Amino acid sequence: MSPHAELVSRLRAAWLSGKTRPTEYRLAQLEALGRFLDEKKQDILEATAADMRKPPFEVEVSELSICRSELNHTLNNLGAWMKDKHVEKNWATQLDSAFIRKDPYGVVLIIGPWNYPINLLLVPLIGAIAAGNCVVMKPSEITRNVERLVAETLPRYLDEDCFAVVTAGVEETTRLLENKFDYIFFTGSSSVGRIVMTAAAKHLTPVTLELGGKNPCYVSDSCDVQNVARRVAWGRFFNAGQTCVAPDYVLCSAEMQEKLLPALREVITEFYGPNPRESPDFGRIVGDRQFQRVQALLHSGHTAIGGQTDAEERYIAPTVLVEVQQDDPVMQEEIFGPILPILTVASVDDAIAFINARERPLVLYVFSSRKEVVKRVLERTSSGGFCANDTIMHMTIPSLPFGGIGQSGLGRYHGRSSFETFSHQRSALLRGAGRESLNTPRYPPYAPHRLPLLRAATETKRRATCLLL
């Protein structure tokens, strides 16, 4: 038996023992995860700085704070989430109990990405623990310092019979996926997501795929340009642009572009100083391969702001591109770097048509002081999430489900949605053993005169409706 198969077998035995099912056990493991975040805070700050030169402030906001918020939200509500949900019954089962039981799946696999290596590994883990599963975690090998920190220290806080961390590169992860898991949760690129889904299909394993895509940001002519510049620049250049929900490109009129460019230039200087390379608040691209890919995208359109690079530091300046064409390389893939292309459209309807002609994004942003414009974009487009007059902030609300649609992902999580993602909705009907005479109409030999009674007892009737014209 391979080490991975042996590990999965050991965790499955622990799950079958029922150890993870009691509420008290789940709460204790979640509390232990909270202690990990508190006691290893400095180690997390140092590891993320070593991997990506990520500013401590950004780590606090996007990694630690979001994890704590998710954890507290789950601790506050887990008892209510775990309760059986009783459902409406037909006449034949009025004396019985019909409900939905939230069962754990069993042994689940969580594969985390490198861009937010704590948040995007631990937030799914919180949901998996809350739902009563055993978990194998696979942190990204690209952020090596965080991977080592998680592998060496997290198991000391959690029950090692039920939770394990696996360090693996591409080949080892491929072998890991050959094992039968009861659920797989993957965050990463669409190309790897397809590989994960293919591996899961061999065992008919359900999956959640949190992918990415090109998130549009429509800026209407009716808005406060300075506010738009600040909020868009923050969302685009946070974590050096390596954020799956960052605004990937701006759509606006030519007149708005003329106003937006100087506002963006002023805001970038305000945020990062005259030379962002010297700013302690601006991160770096995670690796050489990623740097080369993002650097190549700078040749699209015309550089209006920024454009400076340093391969040795993996530094790419906050950059704004104009005169970008739809078929330019920067518009063919998710940027995942500090580059913001601006494309001009004649109207909100043209923007909507542009968005709808492409794969559905993970999130869609719109800026407008007119509610009807926001409503029009919301109603006539489709995306995983939607945010008006800001960027990224929808991610801070645990009660909002997060996930993609189509090319940008499959499934959802955060808050109750995380608990439900890692729970099997098990239907249950508990009938009494007596009253057998009530069952006689359904038994052979069939008698046509019994059919109306049987239908009345089992069919759901359409409620009367009243339409006000």
Side-chain angles (χ1 to χ4, degrees):
M1 184 179 292
S2 71
H4 291 151
E6 185 177 350
L7 173 64
V8 173
S9 178
R10 177 169 62 82
L11 264 62
R12 191 174 304 284
W15 179 73
L16 289 172
S17 74
K19 187 176 185 180
T20 62
R21 287 181 177 266
T23 307
E24 296 76 16
Y25 178 87
R26 305 182 196 191
L27 293 174
Q29 295 303 302
L30 291 171
E31 295 282 9
L33 188 57
R35 289 194 296 275
F36 166 78
L37 289 170
D38 292 338
E39 295 173 8
K40 297 301 176 182
K41 171 183 170 180
Q42 188 57 39
D43 293 331
I44 292 170
L45 294 174
E46 292 174 1
T48 50
D51 284 329
M52 303 173 68
R53 222 184 92 171
K54 188 178 288 192
F57 187 94
E58 291 190 356
V59 179
E60 287 275 10
V61 170
S62 63
E63 305 270 20
L64 300 175
S65 179
I66 286 182
C67 284
R68 288 195 193 97
S69 179
E70 186 78 19
L71 186 60
N72 292 337
H73 182 72
T74 302
L75 289 168
N76 291 342
N77 293 282
L78 182 57
W81 296 345
M82 289 180 64
K83 289 181 180 178
D84 293 338
K85 180 182 178 182
H86 290 269
V87 299
E88 185 178 347
K89 296 173 288 187
N90 55 32
W91 182 84
T93 56
Q94 283 302 304
L95 299 177
D96 306 315
S97 179
F99 57 89
I100 299 170
R101 169 68 53 85
K102 290 90 169 181
D103 267 1
Y105 273 103
V107 180
V108 306
L109 171 64
I110 298 175
I111 302 177
W114 53 261
N115 59 325
Y116 292 93
I118 297 295
N119 173 348
L120 298 180
L121 184 71
L122 297 194
V123 170
L125 175 63
I126 291 167
I129 293 174
N133 297 282
C134 291
V135 185
V136 176
M137 291 160 276
K138 211 297 284 185
S140 173
E141 72 281 8
I142 294 176
T143 42
R144 296 178 181 176
N145 292 282
V146 173
E147 178 194 42
R148 182 166 56 249
L149 171 66
V150 170
E152 292 178 357
T153 62
L154 185 57
R156 301 175 194 168
Y157 289 84
L158 300 177
D159 183 350
E160 293 191 37
D161 289 339
C162 302
F163 306 100
V165 178
V166 171
T167 56
V170 175
E171 292 183 8
E172 295 91 343
T173 302
T174 301
R175 288 195 291 270
L176 176 64
L177 286 167
E178 293 173 355
N179 294 275
K180 184 184 186 308
F181 292 94
D182 300 300
Y183 201 97
I184 298 176
F185 189 105
F186 169 79
T187 305
S189 67
S190 298
S191 58
V192 180
R194 290 186 179 92
I195 295 172
V196 171
M197 198 167 186
T198 300
K202 294 178 181 178
H203 300 289
L204 297 179
T205 300
V207 298
T208 289
L209 303 177
E210 295 297 341
L211 309 175
K214 299 191 70 61
N215 305 314
C217 178
Y218 173 64
V219 180
S220 78
D221 288 340
S222 57
C223 60
D224 185 315
V225 177
Q226 195 64 29
N227 286 348
V228 172
R230 293 172 66 84
R231 298 175 190 186
V232 170
W234 178 74
R236 175 70 271 182
F237 303 126
F238 191 93
N239 197 31
Q242 298 164 113
T243 305
C244 61
V245 291
D248 205 80
Y249 61 92
V250 166
L251 296 172
C252 65
S253 68
E255 293 77 14
M256 175 52 65
Q257 177 179 287
E258 290 301 311
K259 299 175 185 176
L260 193 56
L261 279 174
L264 284 169
R265 186 176 291 107
E266 179 181 337
V267 164
I268 290 170
T269 301
E270 177 188 342
F271 286 0
Y272 307 113
N275 185 2
R277 180 177 173 181
E278 298 174 356
S279 171
D281 300 320
F282 188 71
R284 297 295 185 266
I285 304 300
V286 68
D288 292 336
R289 183 171 63 85
Q290 291 81 2
F291 172 85
Q292 292 165 6
R293 183 192 65 80
V294 177
Q295 185 183 41
L297 300 179
L298 292 171
H299 300 298
S300 300
H302 170 72
T303 301
I305 302 171
Q308 299 83 7
T309 66
D310 185 324
E312 186 175 348
E313 285 192 20
R314 301 195 303 275
Y315 166 76
I316 296 177
T319 299
V320 178
L321 301 178
V322 295
E323 299 174 16
V324 174
Q325 304 302 311
Q326 297 183 27
D327 57 354
D328 281 343
V330 78
M331 292 301 296
Q332 303 308 307
E333 60 183 90
E334 185 177 9
I335 295 172
F336 234 61
I339 302 173
L340 181 67
I342 299 179
L343 292 87
T344 58
V345 291
S347 66
V348 61
D349 288 334
D350 285 346
I352 290 170
F354 187 97
I355 294 165
N356 287 341
R358 285 154 180 79
E359 295 287 353
R360 289 179 283 186
L362 186 57
V363 60
L364 193 159
Y365 298 108
V366 57
F367 285 84
S368 180
S369 59
R370 296 174 57 196
K371 291 182 180 180
E372 58 268 28
V373 172
V374 173
K375 182 179 179 181
R376 188 172 184 82
V377 177
L378 177 60
E379 291 182 347
R380 293 185 55 193
T381 58
S382 176
S383 60
F386 183 90
C387 183
N389 295 316
D390 210 339
T391 60
I392 299 183
M393 287 302 294
H394 62 294
M395 296 285 291
T396 65
I397 306 175
S399 52
L400 277 179
F402 174 78
I405 180 171
Q407 191 80 3
S408 58
L410 173 67
R412 61 183 187 174
Y413 73 121
H414 285 188
R416 184 167 193 153
S417 294
S418 291
F419 173 80
E420 292 178 346
T421 284
F422 289 104
S423 298
H424 167 57
Q425 306 291 305
R426 187 181 188 185
S427 59
L429 173 64
L430 308 185
R431 302 211 73 193
R435 304 186 297 274
E436 183 61 12
S437 61
L438 297 176
N439 294 319
T440 301
R442 75 177 198 244
Y443 294 148
Y446 299 124
H449 70 273
R450 297 177 186 169
L451 189 57
L453 177 62
L454 189 60
R455 291 178 60 185
T458 57
E459 283 188 4
T460 299
K461 305 302 181 185
R462 174 75 182 272
R463 291 191 181 99
T465 58
C466 179
L467 297 178
L468 299 178
L469 301 179

